[in-house]
Amino acid sequence: MSSEVISIGQPVPQFRAAAYGKASSIRIDDLRGMVVVIYFYPKDDTPGCTTEGQEFTALYPEFQAAGAEILGVSRDTLASHEKFSCKFNFPFPLLADTDEALCKAFDVLKEKNNYGKVGIGVERSTFVIDREGKIAYIERKVKAAGHAAAILDIVKQLP
């Protein structure tokens, strides 16, 4: 996976990742022909990440009707994803990026200052991939509340 900054119009980075949900692993090529929403979030079962997941869940039937699949990604383990997903009944896969390969490919690891402690964390970000496997939309520094509805509007506009 490349270290260059990901941008609209370029092919999505190729990946296979361990998943909790519909399959034990997801390969991006297996989703070709669908719109794919990949949202990166900092940590399972935290307030903002829960809000975001619940909003994507509430709108999931509409995403499916628009021919889209949703993939949530964090650096948490599969066991953590299973607990989080089961607790909130998420209908879409959560990808375990424990080696940070996806986070690096999508350039979502950023320096963060959390209560005076500086570290590297996941910047809440969403990528919409078109049916041909190209990046159609990128949003960084996402605010969780209302985000899923805004992304659904974007998905519905894609051919």
Side-chain angles (χ1 to χ4, degrees):
M1 292 187 214
S2 161
S3 62
E4 63 185 62
V5 176
I6 196 164
S7 60
I8 292 174
Q10 80 180 72
V12 65
Q14 295 301 301
F15 67 83
R16 175 188 293 272
Y20 177 78
K22 295 180 178 181
S24 61
S25 71
I26 302 283
R27 243 175 38 111
I28 192 63
D29 279 350
D30 294 340
L31 300 174
R32 185 70 53 102
M34 299 182 75
V35 172
V36 180
V37 175
I38 303 174
Y39 78 95
F40 288 83
Y41 62 95
K43 187 149 182 61
D44 287 346
D45 212 3
T46 55
C49 301
T50 299
T51 296
E52 191 173 25
Q54 288 176 316
E55 289 188 6
F56 274 118
T57 296
L59 296 172
Y60 191 66
E62 291 183 60
F63 277 99
Q64 287 200 303
E69 182 56 89
I70 297 169
L71 304 174
V73 182
S74 80
R75 298 181 297 176
D76 295 299
T77 65
L78 281 177
S80 177
H81 281 347
E82 179 179 9
K83 185 176 176 186
F84 185 41
S85 185
C86 289
K87 182 176 181 180
F88 295 104
N89 297 309
F90 295 151
F92 46 82
L94 297 180
L95 307 185
D97 190 31
T98 56
D99 65 359
E100 300 180 342
L102 275 174
C103 288
K104 289 175 183 170
F106 284 85
D107 191 33
V108 299
L109 294 175
K110 304 294 179 186
E111 187 174 280
K112 291 180 154 190
N113 187 336
N114 194 14
Y115 301 106
K117 184 179 176 187
V118 176
I120 299 296
V122 174
E123 177 182 65
R124 192 181 308 277
S125 304
T126 299
F127 300 82
V128 178
I129 315 305
D130 69 18
R131 288 171 173 77
E132 294 170 7
K134 293 186 179 169
I135 306 289
Y137 179 80
I138 299 170
E139 186 170 343
R140 297 184 184 273
K141 298 183 182 176
V142 167
K143 302 294 181 217
H147 178 64
I151 294 299
L152 178 61
D153 288 342
I154 290 160
V155 166
K156 287 180 175 179
Q157 294 173 26
L158 294 176

